[in-house]
Amino acid sequence: MATVSSALFAAVNFVYAALFGGPIDGSAWDVKVKQDGFFHWGSKKETLVFHGGKLVVAGAVSQGYAPTLYEARDEENGTAFAAILDEPSREAIEWNGHINGDRISGIVIVRARDGRVVRYAFSGERKS
């Protein structure tokens, strides 16, 4: 029963975001994305845009991913968000993060079709 209510709640949030945007709609963010692990020193710059109830990841769009609906909810210390970039011919990419004021941080999980999972951490600030 809890699963059904969770799914219904998520569906309502997605519909709300699609129709009205969410609490972070209309914002853009510059982030640095770094693969988890000791031997991964480099990072990659990325731009996230929340607009019209959808998350646009600039680098992902150039790779063929379309903007996707995102879910956002206000919390005590900011706003949490989640989105999944899912194209049939590509790997699924999950963005889960938290925004507090002008700062953003979170985790990106890339799920390869062969079952491999690669985790990245990201952090950044509101784009000026």
Side-chain angles (χ1 to χ4, degrees):
M1 185 68 172
T3 305
V4 172
S5 63
S6 295
L8 181 61
F9 181 73
V12 168
N13 281 339
F14 278 126
V15 170
Y16 173 82
L19 295 175
F20 307 108
I24 54 177
D25 211 58
S27 64
W29 305 83
D30 287 325
V31 298
K32 285 186 180 178
V33 181
K34 181 183 177 300
Q35 187 171 349
D36 279 352
F38 181 74
F39 295 106
H40 302 285
W41 296 291
S43 63
K44 176 180 130 178
K45 291 183 179 183
E46 188 61 83
T47 300
L48 307 179
V49 178
F50 296 91
H51 178 72
K54 293 188 176 185
L55 170 62
V56 179
V57 180
V61 169
S62 68
Q63 295 174 359
Y65 289 93
T68 189
L69 294 176
Y70 70 89
E71 177 182 349
R73 66 184 179 283
D74 285 326
E75 293 183 340
E76 223 175 88
N77 57 351
T79 303
F81 69 90
I84 299 175
L85 302 174
D86 194 17
E87 292 293 324
S89 63
R90 302 209 156 279
E91 301 170 325
I93 303 174
E94 299 175 28
W95 287 81
N96 295 289
H98 188 266
I99 296 172
N100 189 358
D102 287 339
R103 303 291 306 159
I104 187 171
S105 62
I107 300 292
V108 178
I109 300 171
V110 178
R111 298 186 187 280
R113 285 178 273 161
D114 65 3
R116 289 180 302 120
V117 175
V118 181
R119 293 174 55 93
Y120 298 84
F122 70 91
S123 63
E125 57 190 25
R126 188 180 298 268
K127 192 171 179 68
S128 55

